[in-house]
Amino acid sequence: MPTDGYENELRSEQDYVAGLYARLDAERARVRGHYNAALRDKGVTLVDRDVEVRALGREVKRLDVADNGLCFGRLDSVTGEHSYIGRIGIFDEANEFDTLLLDWRAPAARPFYTATGANSENMVRRRQFHSRGRNLVDFTDEVFGRPGQGERGDAALLAAVNAPRGEGMRDIVATIQAEQDEIIRLEHPGVLVIEGGPGTGKTVVALHRVAYLLYTQRKQMERHGVLVVGPNPAFLNHISRVLPSLGESNVVFMTAGEFVPGLRVTAEDEPEAARLKGSLAVLEVLAAAVADRQRLPEEPITIELSDATVRIDAATAEWAREEARKSDRPHNEARATFLEIVTYVLTERAIARIGKGWLTRDDKEAWEQMREDLLTELAENETFTAAIDQLWPILTPETLLAELFSSHDRLRAAGASEALYRAEGSAWTVSDVPLLDELFDLLGPDKRADDSAEREAKAEAAYAAGVLDLMVSREDHMDDEDHLFATDLLYAEDLAERFVERDTRDLAERAAADRDWTYRHIVVDEAQELSAMDWRVLMRRCPSKSFTVVGDLAQRRSAAGATAWGDMFDRYVPGRWVYRSLTVNYRTPAEIMAVAAAVLAEFAPEVRAPESVRACGVQPWTEELTSAEIPSAIAEFVREEAGREGTSIVIGPPGMPGTVPASATKGLEFDAVLVVDPERILADGPRGAAELYVALTRATQRLGVLHEGPLPQALAGLTPRTVPQEIR
């Protein structure tokens, strides 16, 4: 396009985008007005007001995400029609059927990502915008069918992948590639596995797929929300901006250590313990541990009643235990059956002794009256209560598991390995979480605690109602010297309202706090690290079995993680899981990927490294130093990178001062990476090789390696840095 023609076209596009922002601002003002009015509306019930406020609040959030890059392109069809593609949909104020901006998830927007020179999908041009904030800076055109034209204009893509990294992951909504778009829009109701090497964009593709599903299945998805599971809090913080930037907020983010609300993970298992806990074989250990707490008395337990002495012997307890187990109820609920049998036997024996010679079963009324009296006496008898607690105790998951792991005797009784023993039973690890979750179902709720909480809530509500009645009564009987202020009555009404059964938390807050919450869709990132027991938890959380699973088997670190996707999913969704792979590396430049690929070839020769889409022109380097010199070299790297735009990190073996272990950087990316002591990272066997592979593939621009001893053979391709120079 001639320069003058380009400038005229750019001004025209700038005017159009400015008009979109004006329409967006007007819509924001309208929705905020309705939102504020709903907050003040006293003419509806509290429940109705909450529903309206939440709906308007979601709309406010949706409109607030669009300031940056509202519109990122235009499609021109063979019929001469223009369609502008953007972050959200915007309609004409006068005609709601006139689309000013097409939501990127709409079917009509798909050619923006998929049209090629070979298959133009009835399009003649794809125009991509480059914006800063609200300002349209320039654009590039791709004319389909033009001789010599490639399938996809790379200007926008390369600008995005070369840009300095910020604190969080950015959405790729303006530069989605065709292979990514196919996965994002895949209409599969079961489990979708997306596998790809470092930098292939599998995480961000999964998040955009969630945004797409929330757009196309809004009613089904919003009711239960979406769960996103990541490997660590740093990773979740890194990706947490993507979905809100796409206008979606009904999403819960958590790690595998947070599956049980309120639990705090403070320790880490040895590999063998993690492997044992992650295997489904541990289910038998848990069941045996519960059964071990359903005891028989070694000697008869004597219960002194007012008119008789009775005993709980082994035969009675065994009968009660068998009946309780046959009820198929959770342990805490089955206690009622155990108690019923024991009290039946004891009251029958006591009645026979007390009524000997004068009471027969024919006198049903007297017999039952005596039974009721005895039941009341047993309930108040401390010896009897202690006996029941000893033989069939109320258990919590935390108590049972802590006592199991800290006792050699209990581990042996449950048929468990001594590798599970630890001195501090309640020093929870990530691998304990699915076991605790399983025990919630095996044990059931603590009925006594639930009843106590219910009684307390009723007492508070009754108190509030009483205060309100008192205030109203006082108003009715005031004399001239007795003044009732308006604030008094308002306070009473507010107090009573506190106990109205309503929940003002948003969906994400309610879901995250509720162990029994079920989700409509679950995304699992770094899925190769999850154990079979972790998957058991997640399958319970999603009855529809709708998952987007993201991982790379070559990066598996956990001893209990997946070695084949079918091993995890054939059990739960046979015939309902599909596999897709991403093969293009958008993050790691070719120079760095060549080094990482050499490491991959040594520990996983059957896996093909992803092909980098770009080169950066900077060769990764290595330098051999003494242990005394390494700290100052790390400090030098940190100082130099602090003066550059973008992000950087130092990765080293676990526990090394001044470094971060590779496991804590999974899924993250940085402009510059310094890897320290690769030989010590590798020393951890196959897991160490995977860790080094992860460390080397975090960099998007610059990579350096510091080492003490001989450089590992896999890193022989690195360029030595023999004299001090700028780390480029």
Side-chain angles (χ1 to χ4, degrees), residues 168-206:
M169 178 179 282
R170 296 167 296 192
D171 64 61
I172 59 168
V173 65
T175 57
I176 294 170
Q177 302 300 288
E179 69 166 357
Q180 297 172 330
D181 186 79
E182 179 186 352
I183 294 173
I184 289 169
R185 297 175 193 264
L186 185 64
E187 298 289 348
H188 178 69
V191 175
L192 167 63
V193 177
I194 307 171
E195 185 165 26
T200 53
K202 52 189 180 294
T203 296
V204 76
V205 166

Side-chain angles (χ1 to χ4, degrees), residues 441-507:
D441 287 343
L442 287 176
L443 298 177
D446 180 350
K447 187 70 165 55
R448 294 180 302 184
D450 290 349
D451 289 346
S452 176
E454 185 178 351
R455 286 194 298 271
E456 184 178 346
K458 287 181 178 179
E460 288 180 336
Y463 169 74
V467 170
L468 183 57
D469 290 342
L470 178 63
M471 300 302 289
V472 173
S473 175
R474 182 180 171 194
E475 182 182 27
D476 292 340
H477 298 89
M478 282 192 305
D479 56 31
D480 291 340
E481 296 181 356
D482 189 10
H483 300 287
L484 177 67
F485 295 99
T487 52
D488 294 334
L489 192 56
L490 286 174
Y491 169 77
E493 290 175 343
D494 289 342
L495 182 62
E497 185 178 309
R498 282 175 50 200
F499 301 102
V500 174
E501 198 168 321
R502 63 192 184 96
D503 194 338
T504 58
R505 297 172 298 173
D506 64 24
L507 182 143

Side-chain angles (χ1 to χ4, degrees), residues 47-287:
V47 173
D48 289 342
R49 187 172 69 187
D50 282 350
V51 170
E52 185 177 9
V53 167
R54 284 180 182 174
L56 289 168
R58 286 193 297 269
E59 183 65 5
V60 168
K61 289 180 180 178
R62 187 185 77 87
L63 295 173
D64 280 346
V65 304
D67 266 321
N68 237 340
L70 171 62
C71 177
F72 40 78
R74 190 184 92 184
L75 274 175
D76 297 351
S77 72
V78 294
T79 61
E81 296 176 341
H82 300 326
S83 297
Y84 287 86
I85 315 299
R87 195 170 294 277
I88 63 173
I90 294 181
F91 301 90
D92 188 89
E93 185 175 13
N95 181 6
E96 61 180 16
F97 297 105
D98 186 3
T99 304
L100 302 178
L101 184 65
L102 195 60
D103 191 298
W104 68 274
R105 294 164 289 193
R110 183 167 188 170
F112 186 78
Y113 304 108
T114 59
T116 67
N119 180 17
S120 67
E121 301 189 35
N122 294 321
M123 299 296 156
V124 295
R125 177 189 285 110
R126 172 171 42 226
R127 173 168 290 177
Q128 292 180 296
F129 294 160
H130 175 210
S131 300
R132 292 194 186 98
R134 289 191 166 204
N135 299 317
L136 176 58
V137 178
D138 56 40
F139 67 81
T140 57
D141 277 350
E142 180 182 2
V143 179
F144 299 119
R146 188 170 60 197
Q149 182 70 14
E151 287 194 349
R152 188 76 168 92
D154 289 334
L157 173 63
L158 292 177
V161 297
N162 279 312
R165 265 48 187 175
E167 292 184 0
M169 178 179 282
R170 296 167 296 192
D171 64 61
I172 59 168
V173 65
T175 57
I176 294 170
Q177 302 300 288
E179 69 166 357
Q180 297 172 330
D181 186 79
E182 179 186 352
I183 294 173
I184 289 169
R185 297 175 193 264
L186 185 64
E187 298 289 348
H188 178 69
V191 175
L192 167 63
V193 177
I194 307 171
E195 185 165 26
T200 53
K202 52 189 180 294
T203 296
V204 76
V205 166
L207 295 175
H208 282 66
R209 183 167 192 255
V210 169
Y212 176 76
L213 293 174
L214 284 165
Y215 177 82
T216 58
Q217 304 175 25
R218 179 73 61 187
K219 289 184 179 179
Q220 305 97 303
M221 300 285 280
E222 275 195 337
R223 189 176 301 111
H224 293 280
V226 174
L227 172 64
V228 176
V229 179
N232 53 60
F235 173 82
L236 293 179
N237 182 61
H238 179 64
I239 69 171
S240 62
R241 298 178 179 88
V242 174
L243 284 168
S245 76
L246 300 172
E248 304 300 346
S249 58
N250 285 340
V251 181
V252 176
F253 295 88
M254 66 173 60
T255 66
E258 297 169 312
F259 289 163
V260 175
L263 188 77
R264 187 164 174 261
V265 171
T266 59
E268 185 174 350
D269 278 315
E270 292 296 323
E272 177 61 10
R275 186 189 67 79
L276 291 170
K277 293 177 184 179
S279 168
L280 293 180
V282 80
L283 293 171
E284 295 182 8
V285 172
L286 297 179

Side-chain angles (χ1 to χ4, degrees), residues 541-562:
R541 299 290 197 277
C542 188
S544 65
K545 304 296 186 287
S546 177
F547 284 78
T548 299
V549 175
V550 178
D552 180 8
L553 294 178
Q555 295 186 56
R556 179 177 67 89
R557 176 178 181 268
S558 170

